[in-house]
Amino acid sequence: MTALAPGVVPAGLVLPDYGGRCLDQVLPAALGALGVTTPDGVADAAAAQGRLGVPAAERVVVVLVDGLGHRMLAERAGHAPFLRRLLPDARLLTCGFPSTTATSMGLLGTGRGAGRTGLAGYTVRNPADGGLANLVSWTGVDEPRRWQREPSLLGHAAEHGLTVHSVGPAAFAGSGLTDAALSGSTYVAAEALEARVDATLRALRSGPGLVYLYWGHVDKVGHQHGWRSPEWGDALAEADAELGRLARSVPRGTVVVLTADHGMVDVDPAQLVDVAVEPALRADVELVAGEPRAVHVHTAPGAAPLVADRWRERLGGAAVVLERAEAIAAGLFGEVAAHVEPVLGDVVVAATGSAGVADSRTQTPHSMLLRGMHGSLTPGEMEIPLLVVA
């Protein structure tokens, strides 16, 4: 049995370093470099700037490559000559928990963990109706600014006189997740990475300010083929070439900050446990939310201790199983607001190794067959690079 006492991480797993070397420091550091302070409750801009080594600048571009974990980049660096040259000076950061896009967008965009933003997984339980809400497609969930109440750092920067642009796909313009985590900038839609780099360069050349650039293809290929696949190497090479062009082409006085939202592990399908066909796991469980690597289990009233014990017995070393209070005490979600606590599972499960827990009653067969997954506390999922080009 793998157990996690409050504040203690089993060997080989990684806790979020909220307020330290963590994704929550990236935008505060960028604001510090541009001479803007941060809102109350968020990392001090100057302290974050020093911690992450981001020099003062007239322009800052923050690039987030979805799914580019530090260990993945280091192992496959042969496909990325530009990024490989930066690795010796890279800072190793953690993302938050769960190590997944919706959570990390909130962490990046507000400087606060899932315990404050409520962006606690790919899917979560909506306390208003008890149903399953998808935080990526933003279905089954409240209006974004009612669900996620922390101020946007991009919006804060714009309110304090900075010109702020976000560059990403048209589908993300005005989406629920964008509005919840990254509101307040001028959104520039572009599809291919070449077009996004061109749009970023135009924004930078228009004058001083902050640009946020998102690229998601590396993560998509990793999900479909696994990150050790030839296809993933090709996706990394494509990203590397365009990011190198970006760094070579920015105006004088620009700092480029490159990071990721999480890493990834390749999952063994034989180790994916389906709650729907496991009576011991279904008992007293009302809803399974999250994703296969990081599960929120919502139980019948008072049943959490029994459910946790049964899940520990069934999963053994394939997962860390905690009751909600244990997960909060261990710092998995950072500070937890009262309105967010019911969003978190009564039991929280973090997969280890190449295992996972799914529920075919609410997940599609396609999602359960993905080769690459993320969400848990392994170094491959939690550790992300920070690369600074000045």
Side-chain angles (χ1 to χ4, degrees):
M1 182 191 306
T2 300
L4 180 65
V8 178
V9 182
L13 299 186
V14 177
L15 279 179
D17 188 22
Y18 299 120
R21 291 202 169 190
C22 182
L23 183 62
D24 62 6
Q25 305 291 291
V26 171
L27 281 183
L31 296 187
L34 293 163
V36 175
T37 59
T38 46
D40 292 341
V42 179
D44 176 78
Q49 181 189 358
R51 186 176 294 118
L52 300 192
V54 180
E58 294 181 353
R59 300 167 176 84
V60 175
V61 53
V62 174
V63 179
L64 188 139
V65 181
D66 196 326
L68 185 61
H70 186 272
R71 291 194 172 197
M72 301 159 72
L73 175 59
E75 185 168 321
R76 304 297 303 275
H79 294 270
F82 166 66
L83 296 175
R84 183 176 66 240
R85 289 194 295 272
L86 302 177
L87 272 174
D89 297 318
R91 281 172 165 77
L92 182 65
L93 306 184
T94 72
C95 60
F97 180 81
S99 50
T100 195
T101 298
T103 301
S104 289
M105 290 300 100
L107 187 65
L108 173 76
T110 72
R112 308 301 294 267
R116 296 289 304 189
T117 66
L119 302 174
Y122 179 72
T123 62
V124 296
R125 177 182 178 271
N126 186 341
D129 60 13
L132 193 65
N134 187 307
L135 297 181
V136 175
S137 63
W138 210 261
T139 53
V141 64
D142 297 340
E143 187 273 331
R145 299 305 296 156
R146 288 187 60 194
W147 183 273
Q148 198 296 99
R149 304 176 188 180
E150 302 300 315
S152 162
L153 293 176
L154 296 184
H156 172 84
E159 290 168 1
H160 284 72
L162 282 183
T163 300
V164 185
H165 293 85
S166 293
V167 181
F172 288 5
S175 73
L177 182 56
T178 297
D179 193 19
L182 298 164
S183 62
S185 65
T186 298
Y187 195 91
V188 182
E191 301 309 320
L193 183 54
E194 179 182 6
R196 293 188 203 179
V197 168
D198 289 343
T200 298
L201 292 171
R202 286 194 296 270
L204 291 168
R205 290 166 183 160
S206 69
L210 173 66
V211 181
Y212 165 67
L213 168 61
Y214 171 84
W215 182 240
H217 188 62
V218 171
D219 181 69
K220 180 179 179 180
V221 173
H223 281 304
Q224 294 298 324
H225 299 284
W227 70 270
R228 288 190 170 92
S229 67
E231 292 87 352
W232 194 86
D234 291 343
L236 176 60
E238 174 194 8
D240 182 78
E242 283 300 316
L243 295 175
R245 180 171 73 89
L246 172 67
R248 293 190 301 271
S249 305
V250 296
R252 186 183 301 274
T254 301
V255 169
V256 180
V257 179
L258 299 109
T259 191
D261 55 347
H262 55 74
M264 183 174 288
V265 296
D266 289 348
V267 171
D268 179 0
Q271 295 188 53
L272 191 65
V273 177
D274 185 0
V275 176
V277 298
E278 295 265 355
L281 299 184
R282 291 199 315 266
D284 298 313
V285 170
E286 296 181 344
L287 184 70
V288 175
E291 46 227 295
R293 296 286 297 174
V295 182
H296 292 284
V297 184
H298 294 273
T299 72
L306 292 174
V307 170
D309 285 343
R310 285 196 292 264
W311 282 55
R312 289 187 187 110
E313 182 177 359
R314 169 61 182 88
L315 297 175
V320 173
V321 179
L322 305 170
E323 294 182 48
R324 179 194 290 161
E326 294 175 307
I328 292 172
L332 296 192
F333 304 105
E335 180 186 352
V336 177
H339 72 279
V340 174
E341 189 167 341
V343 174
L344 309 177
D346 298 300
V347 175
V348 177
V349 181
T352 60
S354 56
V357 179
D359 189 341
S360 59
R361 296 170 297 181
T362 55
Q363 292 177 256
T364 65
H366 172 74
S367 69
M368 294 174 62
L369 291 175
L370 293 176
R371 185 71 179 95
M373 296 183 183
H374 50 78
S376 192
L377 295 166
T378 68
E381 294 160 283
M382 289 292 297
E383 294 177 350
I384 55 175
L386 182 85
L387 309 170
V388 178
V389 184

